[in-house]
Amino acid sequence: MIVELRSDTFTKPSPGMLAAMAAAETGDDVFGEDPSINKLENMTAELFGMQAALYCPTGTMSNQVAIKVHTQPGDEVICERSAHVFLYEGGGIAFNSGAQVRLLEGDRGRINASQVAEAINNRNDVHKANSSLVCLENTCNRGGGSCYDLNEIAAIREVCDTNDLKLHLDGARLFNALVATGQKATDYGKLFHSISLCLNKGMGCPMGSMLVGSKEFIRKARRVRKVLGGGMRQAGYMAACGIYAIENNIDRLATDHAHAKRIAESLDGASYVSKVHPVDTNIIVFNVTPGIPAETVAKRFEDVNIRVMAIAPTQIRMVTHLDVSSEMVDYVVNFIGNNKGEF
Ligand SMILES: Cc1ncc(COP(=O)(O)O)c(C=O)c1O
C-alpha cells in the first residue's frame, strides 16, 4: 500500500467517473458544439449564480485568462505573497498580461480589506502603476488550506468597487472551503467578478478547471483561452468527469477534512515536529524540529510508503483526498503514533 499525501492532484478517476467519460456525448467546443462541455459550463454558472462559465484545461490557465481579461499591460495586480498566481504560475502575470504584482503579507495566505485599500495606487499619480485587480485564493494553498470569512471578502469587494478594481478568486479548492465552512456557492458568485475552480484536485478529475463570471467577461475569456491554445475539440470526454465530480464528489470532501484532522492530531508530541499548523480543510502543514531537515523526515515517511512533501527546508505538507481511504489514514496515524521518539 502506498499512501499518497503529497498533493490532492494525484487522484485517479474512479470507475464511476470513467464510465461517465466513456458514455459522454462530444462535439467541437471551438464551434460551441460539445454538449458535455456546454452542460458543464451551464451547471457551474448556475451553481454559483453567475451568468456564464468556461471550461479550461488547468487552473493555471483559468487564472491567467481571468487576469488577462481584467488587466491592461502595465497594471498592478494585488495579491498575497504566497498566492499561486504569483508564486507558481511561471511568471504568467508578467508573461501573459504584462502586469506587475503588489504583494501583501497575509494571515495564512488571507489578506484583509484595509491592506488592500492601502495598496491601491493613486490613479492620478503618473509615477504609479494602475491598480486594476485584486486576486484572492480560497482555500489558501500555502496557508495550509485556510478559509476566508465571507464578511472579509465583502469588505474587500467594497474597497474594489470604491476604487474601480476587479476582484478575482483563485478557487482551486473553493469546494473544500464551501464544505468546511457551510458557505454558499452563490455568495461567492455575488462577491467576485470572476472565479476559477479546479476539478483536477480534490474533485478527482484527471484535468479541468472552470472559470465563471458575467456573460461579457466569459466572452472575452473564451477568446483569450483560444489565443493561449486552450480551444479544445471533443473534450466532452473530459468535461463528463467534471459533471460527474460536481454531482458526486463535493459533499465527500468532508471525509478528507476529517482525515486531515486525524493525521494532524496524531502528530502532536512527535519528536520531529515543532508545530502543527491549524487544519481547516484537507491540508496539513507542520514545522520540523530545528536541526532536522524536512527532507530527512519526508524520507523516513517514504521508507514506509507514506509520501509527504517537504515544501520548505523546515516544513512538511500532507494533503488528503479521495484516493486516501480511512484504512490508509489508520496506517499513517499508527506509524506516527508508534514512532514519536527518536527519528
Ligand atoms: C491554489 C491553486 N491555484 C491554482 C492551481 C493551478 O492548477 P493547475 O495545476 O490545474 O494549473 C493550483 C495547483 O495546485 C493551486 O493549488
Side-chain angles (χ1 to χ4, degrees):
M1 174 167 68
I2 292 174
V3 188
E4 181 54 81
L5 295 174
R6 283 175 298 170
S7 173
D8 47 10
T9 53
F10 282 91
T11 56
K12 297 273 203 292
S14 64
M17 184 176 275
L18 285 170
M21 290 165 78
E25 259 191 90
T26 69
D28 189 327
D29 182 45
V30 177
F31 285 76
E33 290 181 16
D34 189 305
S36 300
I37 293 187
N38 291 343
K39 179 175 172 187
L40 175 62
E41 290 178 345
N42 289 336
M43 73 192 274
T44 312
E46 199 177 313
L47 186 62
F48 283 84
M50 294 177 103
Q51 288 176 349
L54 181 72
Y55 182 56
C56 292
T58 65
T60 299
M61 190 184 282
S62 52
N63 279 333
Q64 291 299 320
V65 165
I67 293 166
K68 179 70 186 161
V69 173
H70 288 310
T71 62
Q72 293 298 317
D75 280 0
E76 196 159 88
V77 176
I78 297 170
C79 62
E80 210 271 343
R81 70 177 178 84
S82 64
H84 197 279
V85 292
F86 166 65
L87 270 191
Y88 302 122
E89 296 189 4
I93 294 179
F95 191 94
N96 299 311
S97 300
Q100 64 185 35
V101 286
R102 171 75 72 94
L103 300 178
L104 303 177
E105 175 84 40
D107 161 31
R108 298 179 60 221
R110 296 162 299 194
I111 54 179
N112 63 42
S114 53
Q115 285 179 295
V116 171
E118 275 170 32
I120 296 172
N121 291 329
N122 175 358
R123 232 166 237 156
N124 297 321
D125 183 344
V126 294
H127 299 92
K128 301 283 176 64
N130 181 44
S131 312
S132 59
L133 177 66
V134 176
C135 284
L136 306 184
E137 190 173 304
N138 199 21
T139 70
C140 303
N141 180 356
R142 287 306 304 262
S146 56
C147 302
Y148 267 92
D149 185 300
L150 270 184
N151 292 329
E152 196 58 59
I153 299 176
I156 293 173
R157 172 65 192 253
E158 208 174 308
V159 170
C160 289
D161 285 349
T162 310
N163 294 279
D164 195 21
L165 271 73
K166 294 289 191 280
L167 184 59
H168 170 72
L169 178 65
D170 174 353
R173 295 184 182 80
L174 181 57
F175 290 117
N176 292 86
L178 296 180
V179 167
T181 59
Q183 296 162 347
K184 292 203 213 70
T186 46
D187 290 334
Y188 279 81
K190 286 185 199 119
L191 288 171
F192 288 90
H193 294 99
S194 57
I195 302 174
S196 67
L197 304 154
C198 279
L199 300 167
N200 59 359
K201 306 197 164 56
M203 298 289 281
C205 298
M207 63 171 270
S209 168
M210 304 308 295
L211 183 60
V212 265
S214 68
K215 266 202 180 112
E216 181 56 10
F217 168 81
I218 292 296
R219 189 187 63 76
K220 292 178 183 163
R222 200 172 284 283
R223 167 168 280 274
V224 176
R225 183 190 67 170
K226 186 75 176 79
V227 172
L228 296 178
M232 293 171 284
R233 327 281 185 176
Q234 313 296 328
Y237 290 113
M238 308 312 295
C241 56
I243 295 168
Y244 179 91
I246 290 176
E247 286 173 349
N248 295 281
N249 289 349
I250 296 180
D251 292 345
R252 63 148 310 284
L253 291 169
T255 305
D256 299 343
H257 301 167
H259 285 164
K261 280 221 163 69
R262 271 193 69 205
I263 294 174
E265 279 160 18
S266 75
L267 287 163
D268 199 34
S271 61
Y272 53 91
V273 176
S274 69
K275 178 183 175 186
V276 184
H277 293 257
V279 173
D280 299 328
T281 51
N282 66 329
I283 301 179
I284 305 142
V285 175
F286 69 86
N287 296 356
V288 291
T289 302
I292 307 178
E295 287 292 355
T296 306
V297 175
K299 174 78 176 53
R300 180 77 177 91
F301 277 90
E302 173 75 39
D303 287 345
V304 294
N305 287 334
I306 301 169
R307 295 188 176 151
V308 305
M309 192 146 92
I311 53 168
T314 55
Q315 266 189 346
I316 297 278
R317 186 181 83 164
M318 300 177 181
V319 186
T320 56
H321 50 77
L322 83 179
D323 286 350
V324 177
S325 64
S326 50
E327 291 74 29
M328 290 178 184
V329 174
D330 290 343
Y331 175 71
V332 173
V333 166
N334 284 337
F335 170 71
I336 292 169
N338 294 331
N339 294 278
K340 287 207 167 170
E342 209 53 45
F343 210 61

